[in-house]
Amino acid sequence: MVSQQSVMLVGIIGGAVGLLLFAGGVTLLVLSIINTVKGKRRIGGIIGGAIMLVGGISVGFTFGMFAVTAGLISSSSADTAQIAAMTSHIQSALNDNDADALYELFSEESYSGEPLEYEDAEEICDYIKGDVKDVTFEPMSISVENGTHATEYKYTIVTENNARYTLYIHVIEVSDTEEYVGIQHIKMYKGMNVLCNVGTAPVFD
Protein backbone atom coordinates (compact mmCIF):
# COMPACT_ATOMS: atom_id res chain seq x y z
CA MET A 1 0.00 0.00 0.00
CA VAL A 2 1.28 3.48 -0.87
CA SER A 3 2.05 5.46 2.27
CA GLN A 4 0.76 8.98 2.88
CA GLN A 5 4.37 10.20 2.89
CA SER A 6 4.88 8.83 -0.64
CA VAL A 7 1.67 10.46 -1.81
CA MET A 8 2.73 13.78 -0.36
CA LEU A 9 6.17 13.49 -2.00
CA VAL A 10 4.64 12.83 -5.42
CA GLY A 11 2.27 15.75 -4.94
CA ILE A 12 5.12 18.08 -3.91
CA ILE A 13 7.33 17.05 -6.86
CA GLY A 14 4.46 17.38 -9.32
CA GLY A 15 3.48 20.74 -7.88
CA ALA A 16 7.09 21.97 -8.10
CA VAL A 17 7.37 20.88 -11.75
CA GLY A 18 4.08 22.57 -12.54
CA LEU A 19 5.20 25.75 -10.78
CA LEU A 20 8.47 25.82 -12.74
CA LEU A 21 6.65 25.33 -16.04
CA PHE A 22 4.15 28.01 -15.07
CA ALA A 23 6.92 30.48 -14.14
CA GLY A 24 8.88 29.66 -17.31
CA GLY A 25 5.77 30.06 -19.42
CA VAL A 26 4.94 33.44 -17.90
CA THR A 27 8.51 34.67 -18.38
CA LEU A 28 8.72 33.46 -21.98
CA LEU A 29 5.29 34.84 -22.78
CA VAL A 30 6.07 38.29 -21.38
CA LEU A 31 9.47 38.49 -23.10
CA SER A 32 7.99 37.25 -26.39
CA ILE A 33 5.24 39.85 -26.27
CA ILE A 34 7.77 42.63 -25.58
CA ASN A 35 10.11 41.47 -28.36
CA THR A 36 7.23 40.99 -30.78
CA VAL A 37 5.97 44.49 -30.09
CA LYS A 38 9.51 45.79 -30.72
CA GLY A 39 9.66 43.77 -33.92
CA LYS A 40 12.53 41.61 -32.71
CA ARG A 41 10.65 38.29 -32.63
CA ARG A 42 7.82 36.61 -34.43
CA ILE A 43 4.62 35.44 -32.82
CA GLY A 44 6.00 31.90 -32.35
CA GLY A 45 7.57 32.89 -29.03
CA ILE A 46 4.20 33.99 -27.71
CA ILE A 47 2.67 30.66 -28.70
CA GLY A 48 5.55 28.77 -27.04
CA GLY A 49 5.14 30.77 -23.83
CA ALA A 50 1.38 30.18 -23.83
CA ILE A 51 1.93 26.44 -24.28
CA MET A 52 4.35 26.34 -21.33
CA LEU A 53 1.92 28.37 -19.25
CA VAL A 54 -1.00 26.04 -19.96
CA GLY A 55 1.25 23.00 -19.47
CA GLY A 56 2.40 24.25 -16.07
CA ILE A 57 -1.17 24.78 -14.95
CA SER A 58 -2.19 21.33 -16.24
CA VAL A 59 0.73 19.50 -14.59
CA GLY A 60 0.27 21.30 -11.27
CA PHE A 61 -3.49 20.64 -11.28
CA THR A 62 -3.10 16.97 -12.28
CA PHE A 63 -0.53 16.15 -9.62
CA GLY A 64 -2.37 18.21 -7.03
CA MET A 65 -5.61 16.32 -7.67
CA PHE A 66 -3.71 13.02 -7.56
CA ALA A 67 -2.26 13.85 -4.16
CA VAL A 68 -5.63 14.98 -2.77
CA THR A 69 -7.49 11.94 -4.13
CA ALA A 70 -4.87 9.47 -2.96
CA GLY A 71 -4.78 11.16 0.44
CA LEU A 72 -8.55 10.85 0.81
CA ILE A 73 -8.46 7.18 -0.20
CA SER A 74 -5.64 6.50 2.26
CA SER A 75 -7.51 8.27 5.06
CA SER A 76 -10.74 6.41 4.25
CA SER A 77 -8.91 3.06 4.26
CA ALA A 78 -7.36 3.85 7.64
CA ASP A 79 -10.78 4.74 9.08
CA THR A 80 -12.32 1.53 7.72
CA ALA A 81 -9.54 -0.56 9.26
CA GLN A 82 -9.97 1.21 12.61
CA ILE A 83 -13.73 0.56 12.61
CA ALA A 84 -13.24 -3.12 11.74
CA ALA A 85 -10.62 -3.53 14.46
CA MET A 86 -12.89 -1.99 17.11
CA THR A 87 -15.84 -4.28 16.35
CA SER A 88 -13.53 -7.31 16.33
CA HIS A 89 -12.00 -6.38 19.70
CA ILE A 90 -15.44 -5.91 21.28
CA GLN A 91 -16.59 -9.26 19.92
CA SER A 92 -13.48 -10.96 21.30
CA ALA A 93 -13.83 -9.38 24.75
CA LEU A 94 -17.47 -10.47 25.00
CA ASN A 95 -16.69 -13.94 23.68
CA ASP A 96 -14.07 -14.36 26.42
CA ASN A 97 -16.31 -12.63 28.98
CA ASP A 98 -13.20 -10.64 29.88
CA ALA A 99 -13.84 -7.50 31.95
CA ASP A 100 -10.23 -6.31 31.60
CA ALA A 101 -10.32 -6.58 27.80
CA LEU A 102 -13.71 -4.86 27.66
CA TYR A 103 -12.53 -2.03 29.90
CA GLU A 104 -9.53 -1.43 27.62
CA LEU A 105 -12.00 -0.60 24.84
CA PHE A 106 -13.80 2.09 26.85
CA SER A 107 -13.17 5.68 25.77
CA GLU A 108 -11.07 7.85 28.07
CA GLU A 109 -13.66 10.62 27.98
CA SER A 110 -17.40 10.71 27.38
CA TYR A 111 -18.62 12.69 24.38
CA SER A 112 -21.90 13.73 26.03
CA GLY A 113 -21.94 12.87 29.74
CA GLU A 114 -20.70 10.36 32.28
CA PRO A 115 -17.84 8.07 31.14
CA LEU A 116 -17.70 4.33 31.61
CA GLU A 117 -15.74 2.90 34.54
CA TYR A 118 -14.02 -0.42 35.20
CA GLU A 119 -16.91 -1.43 37.50
CA ASP A 120 -19.23 -1.19 34.50
CA ALA A 121 -17.18 -3.79 32.61
CA GLU A 122 -17.23 -6.06 35.68
CA GLU A 123 -21.00 -5.67 36.03
CA ILE A 124 -21.63 -6.62 32.41
CA CYS A 125 -19.42 -9.70 32.61
CA ASP A 126 -20.97 -10.77 35.93
CA TYR A 127 -24.41 -10.87 34.31
CA ILE A 128 -23.24 -13.42 31.73
CA LYS A 129 -23.68 -16.85 33.29
CA GLY A 130 -21.95 -19.85 31.74
CA ASP A 131 -19.41 -20.08 28.95
CA VAL A 132 -20.11 -17.98 25.89
CA LYS A 133 -20.93 -20.07 22.83
CA ASP A 134 -21.44 -17.38 20.21
CA VAL A 135 -21.25 -13.60 19.76
CA THR A 136 -22.72 -11.82 16.74
CA PHE A 137 -23.18 -8.15 15.98
CA GLU A 138 -24.83 -5.79 13.54
CA PRO A 139 -24.76 -1.99 13.14
CA MET A 140 -28.01 -0.26 14.09
CA SER A 141 -27.21 3.38 13.32
CA ILE A 142 -24.26 5.46 12.14
CA SER A 143 -23.49 9.12 12.86
CA VAL A 144 -20.78 11.13 11.13
CA GLU A 145 -20.14 14.72 12.21
CA ASN A 146 -17.15 17.06 12.35
CA GLY A 147 -14.53 14.33 11.88
CA THR A 148 -16.27 11.95 14.30
CA HIS A 149 -17.62 8.54 13.22
CA ALA A 150 -19.92 6.88 15.74
CA THR A 151 -21.91 3.66 15.46
CA GLU A 152 -24.52 1.97 17.62
CA TYR A 153 -24.09 -1.82 17.45
CA LYS A 154 -26.35 -4.62 18.57
CA TYR A 155 -24.30 -7.49 20.01
CA THR A 156 -26.02 -10.78 20.75
CA ILE A 157 -24.43 -13.25 23.17
CA VAL A 158 -25.51 -16.89 23.42
CA THR A 159 -24.11 -19.04 26.22
CA GLU A 160 -23.65 -22.81 26.47
CA ASN A 161 -26.95 -22.91 28.41
CA ASN A 162 -28.65 -21.12 25.50
CA ALA A 163 -29.14 -18.00 27.57
CA ARG A 164 -29.32 -14.97 25.29
CA TYR A 165 -28.10 -11.47 26.11
CA THR A 166 -28.44 -8.38 23.92
CA LEU A 167 -26.12 -5.40 24.25
CA TYR A 168 -26.62 -2.09 22.50
CA ILE A 169 -23.18 -0.51 22.38
CA HIS A 170 -22.42 3.02 21.24
CA VAL A 171 -18.88 3.34 19.92
CA ILE A 172 -16.90 6.27 18.57
CA GLU A 173 -14.43 4.65 16.18
CA VAL A 174 -12.88 7.75 14.62
CA SER A 175 -12.49 11.22 16.12
CA ASP A 176 -10.14 14.19 15.96
CA THR A 177 -10.21 14.02 19.76
CA GLU A 178 -8.45 10.74 20.57
CA GLU A 179 -9.92 10.61 24.10
CA TYR A 180 -13.41 10.09 22.62
CA VAL A 181 -12.43 6.97 20.67
CA GLY A 182 -13.85 3.78 22.18
CA ILE A 183 -17.03 2.48 23.78
CA GLN A 184 -19.20 5.30 25.10
CA HIS A 185 -22.37 3.56 26.27
CA ILE A 186 -23.74 0.04 26.86
CA LYS A 187 -27.33 -1.01 27.50
CA MET A 188 -27.71 -4.72 28.29
CA TYR A 189 -30.85 -6.85 28.08
CA LYS A 190 -31.82 -10.40 28.91
CA GLY A 191 -35.05 -10.96 27.10
CA MET A 192 -37.09 -7.80 27.71
CA ASN A 193 -35.41 -7.02 31.02
CA VAL A 194 -32.80 -4.27 31.21
CA LEU A 195 -29.85 -5.60 33.21
CA CYS A 196 -27.72 -2.46 33.09
CA ASN A 197 -27.46 0.89 31.37
CA VAL A 198 -23.99 2.41 31.75
CA GLY A 199 -22.10 5.30 30.24
CA THR A 200 -23.65 7.96 28.04
CA ALA A 201 -24.75 7.64 24.43
CA PRO A 202 -23.09 10.37 22.32
CA VAL A 203 -25.47 13.10 21.20
CA PHE A 204 -24.70 15.03 18.02
CA ASP A 205 -26.20 18.39 17.08
Side-chain angles (χ1 to χ4, degrees):
M1 181 179 292
V2 178
S3 66
Q4 282 188 301
Q5 289 81 3
S6 298
V7 171
M8 290 177 61
L9 182 60
V10 171
I12 291 171
I13 293 173
V17 171
L19 183 60
L20 289 173
L21 285 173
F22 178 81
V26 170
T27 302
L28 180 59
L29 184 60
V30 170
L31 292 176
S32 297
I33 291 174
I34 293 173
N35 290 327
T36 299
V37 170
K38 292 181 177 180
K40 295 180 180 181
R41 182 174 295 181
R42 296 182 179 180
I43 199 169
I46 298 177
I47 296 174
I51 291 173
M52 286 186 67
L53 185 62
V54 173
I57 294 173
S58 298
V59 170
F61 178 79
T62 300
F63 276 88
M65 288 302 296
F66 167 77
V68 170
T69 303
L72 290 172
I73 292 172
S74 178
S75 176
S76 176
S77 298
D79 290 350
T80 301
Q82 192 168 340
I83 292 169
M86 179 64 73
T87 55
S88 176
H89 291 326
I90 295 173
Q91 186 178 32
S92 178
L94 295 176
N95 189 68
D96 295 338
N97 199 18
D98 187 339
D100 291 333
L102 186 61
Y103 173 70
E104 289 297 318
L105 300 174
F106 289 174
S107 62
E108 293 182 25
E109 294 183 11
S110 173
Y111 189 88
S112 302
E114 292 297 318
L116 289 161
E117 305 290 348
Y118 181 74
E119 291 74 16
D120 298 324
E122 286 186 313
E123 181 181 5
I124 290 166
C125 291
D126 285 344
Y127 277 120
I128 301 172
K129 307 300 182 183
D131 292 336
V132 174
K133 184 170 64 177
D134 187 38
V135 178
T136 58
F137 68 91
E138 59 181 309
M140 303 299 291
S141 63
I142 298 174
S143 301
V144 180
E145 182 176 310
N146 298 328
T148 298
H149 186 289
T151 308
E152 180 188 12
Y153 293 96
K154 176 184 176 182
Y155 280 81
T156 302
I157 300 172
V158 179
T159 68
E160 60 181 354
N161 302 319
N162 289 322
R164 184 179 295 268
Y165 303 88
T166 303
L167 290 80
Y168 291 91
I169 302 179
H170 286 88
V171 183
I172 290 181
E173 299 103 338
V174 179
S175 176
D176 293 335
T177 304
E178 186 65 26
E179 289 77 13
Y180 290 151
V181 174
I183 298 174
Q184 293 271 329
H185 171 254
I186 301 175
K187 191 171 187 178
M188 184 177 187
Y189 289 82
K190 184 177 182 181
M192 298 297 293
N193 298 320
V194 178
L195 299 179
C196 68
N197 186 10
V198 293
T200 307
V203 177
F204 300 98
D205 296 331

